[in-house]
């Protein structure tokens, strides 16, 4: 069995008078970003979130992100990176704090909680640098304390599992596995042994949209990710997200984004010129 892995990185981004933009990328792991000091924007799956003092971002497996720093800004903080095996060791509430295509990945802390999170991260760095007995256990407990602090300081405690919420989470899990092959509302309703009407009510209450639109949003997100961080052709990307016909894929993409896949890819690449 693979040993769970966690890594610590210091963050120290100094921008010139032009600022800077990091390359969009996605990781095959989970990340916790903490900014002790910040004046930038963090784009996560094409949505912009402000980086300010005492801000935290919890990124999930395969989420695409990049940072655009303001001129002369100095962004300082830490990153924890851990693999799927480590993530699965976390409790249910902690895992649910991480971003998904329906969940905001950002947390903005007051100075007191920010100081606490920063201290816990410093202890993790210290334990990783040493050769102390039970260091892995100590590090894991510091990670848990950080996530509990985020849970307490957010509205997460208002998301206590209800039957409706449990169904919504199960739907997201099935959607993540099947969105490339299954594109109809009835397919997911059948998986969850519910009617489309019942599932639409849950989607509207939990996500503010209907089931079919939710399915389309997930397909669209994957297409946008592939357009940015791969060199695959439009035809190949369309096929990868479940479209046999390139014209059908292009029409689907333009309907949701207001531009063709080609123009979307160009607009992202123009950021770095």
């Amino acid at each position: 069995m693979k040993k769970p892995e966690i890594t610590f990185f210091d963050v120290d981004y100094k921008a010139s008078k032009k600022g800077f933009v990091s390359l969009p990328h996605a990781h095959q792991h989970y990340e916790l970003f903490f900014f002790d000091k910040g004046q930038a924007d963090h784009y996560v799956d094409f949505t912009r979130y402000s980086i300010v003092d005492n801000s935290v971002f919890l990124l999930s497996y395969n989420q695409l992100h990049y940072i655009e720093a303001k001129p002369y800004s100095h962004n300082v903080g830490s990153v924890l990176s851990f693999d799927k095996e480590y993530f699965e060791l976390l409790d249910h509430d902690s895992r649910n704090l991480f971003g998904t295509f329906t969940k905001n990945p950002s947390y903005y802390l007051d100075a007191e909680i920010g100081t606490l999170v920063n201290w816990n991260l410093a202890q993790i760095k210290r334990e990783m640098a040493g050769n102390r007995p039970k260091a892995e256990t100590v590090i894991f407990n510091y990670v848990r304390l950080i996530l509990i602090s985020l849970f307490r300081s957010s509205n997460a405690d208002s998301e206590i599992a209800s039957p409706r919420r449990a169904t919504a989470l199960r739907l997201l899990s099935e959607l993540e596995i099947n969105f490339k092959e299954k594109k109809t509302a009835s397919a997911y309703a059948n998986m969850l042994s519910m009617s489309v009407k019942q599932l639409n009510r849950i989607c509207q209450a939990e996500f503010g949209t209907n089931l079919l639109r939710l399915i389309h949003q997930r397909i669209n997100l994957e297409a946008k990710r592939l357009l940015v961080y791969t060199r695959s052709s439009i035809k190949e990307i369309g096929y990868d997200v479940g479209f046999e016909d390139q014209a059908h894929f292009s029409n689907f993409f333009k309907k949701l984004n207001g531009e063709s896949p080609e123009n979307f890819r160009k607009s992202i690449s123009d950021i770095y010129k």
Side-chain angles (χ1 to χ4, degrees):
M1 182 179 292
K2 184 177 178 292
K3 181 180 178 181
E5 295 181 358
I6 182 169
T7 310
F8 180 97
F9 300 96
D10 286 312
V11 171
D12 193 345
Y13 302 143
K14 289 183 179 179
S16 67
K17 65 180 180 180
K18 292 184 178 180
F20 78 87
V21 182
S22 64
L23 288 173
H25 60 283
H27 297 291
Q28 303 293 299
H29 51 248
Y30 297 82
E31 289 187 322
L32 183 155
F33 281 80
F34 171 75
F35 288 92
D36 179 27
K37 301 293 181 185
Q39 191 181 13
D41 292 316
H42 198 173
Y43 289 81
V44 181
D45 280 337
F46 312 100
T47 299
R48 182 178 66 84
Y49 302 96
S50 295
I51 295 175
V52 296
D53 296 358
N54 299 314
S55 54
V56 176
F57 300 87
L58 299 183
L59 272 61
S60 290
Y61 197 84
N62 272 342
Q63 282 198 295
L64 185 142
H65 72 114
Y66 64 94
I67 291 173
E68 184 174 7
K70 301 182 186 303
Y72 299 112
S73 64
H74 191 187
N75 299 277
V76 181
S78 309
V79 180
L80 289 179
S81 172
F82 36 91
D83 60 13
K84 280 186 174 181
E85 288 75 14
Y86 203 96
F87 181 78
E88 290 300 323
L89 295 175
L90 300 172
D91 62 85
H92 177 269
D93 288 332
S94 293
R95 295 197 304 271
N96 281 343
L97 291 170
F98 283 74
T100 66
F101 83 104
T102 62
K103 184 174 179 57
N104 187 329
S106 62
Y107 297 84
Y108 298 101
L109 311 177
D110 61 32
E112 181 181 359
I113 301 299
T115 299
L116 177 62
V117 169
N118 203 13
W119 185 87
N120 281 313
L121 286 164
Q123 302 313 304
I124 291 172
K125 181 179 180 180
R126 179 170 173 265
E127 289 292 330
M128 286 184 174
N131 187 23
R132 302 166 184 269
K134 300 287 186 180
E136 292 179 355
T137 301
V138 172
I139 290 168
F140 184 73
N141 284 330
Y142 280 128
V143 172
R144 290 185 66 243
L145 285 170
I146 291 169
L147 295 173
I148 289 169
S149 296
L150 296 180
F151 183 90
R152 286 179 168 181
S153 65
S154 70
N155 292 321
D157 54 352
S158 67
E159 298 178 2
I160 295 172
S162 64
R164 187 184 75 189
R165 182 64 178 167
T167 300
L169 292 174
R170 186 180 165 204
L171 170 62
L172 290 181
S173 178
E174 294 292 351
L175 182 57
E176 194 64 28
I177 296 168
N178 298 291
F179 71 89
K180 293 181 182 180
E181 290 80 29
K182 300 185 185 302
K183 295 180 169 59
T184 65
S186 60
Y188 292 92
N190 290 337
M191 283 183 205
L192 274 63
S193 302
M194 303 179 75
S195 69
V196 171
K197 187 175 181 180
Q198 287 174 313
L199 210 44
N200 269 330
R201 285 201 201 101
I202 291 172
C203 287
Q204 199 65 53
E206 293 290 331
F207 310 120
T209 190
N210 63 40
L211 175 55
L212 186 59
R213 177 72 176 177
L214 189 72
I215 297 165
H216 288 175
Q217 286 174 352
R218 183 61 187 92
I219 297 168
N220 184 54
L221 172 58
E222 193 68 16
K224 289 166 77 174
R225 287 175 174 175
L226 293 172
L227 284 164
V228 171
Y229 71 80
T230 76
R231 295 183 179 181
S232 299
S233 69
I234 304 302
K235 182 178 181 180
E236 289 169 334
I237 290 171
Y239 185 80
D240 191 70
V241 296
F243 291 87
E244 297 287 344
D245 180 68
Q246 181 178 337
H248 187 193
F249 167 64
S250 293
N251 289 336
F252 168 86
F253 190 92
K254 189 170 183 179
K255 183 177 179 180
L256 267 66
N257 301 287
E259 61 182 337
S260 68
E262 294 88 348
N263 285 346
F264 173 80
R265 174 176 266 174
K266 183 177 183 301
S267 69
I268 294 295
S269 65
D270 283 347
I271 295 173
Y272 307 99
K273 290 183 178 179

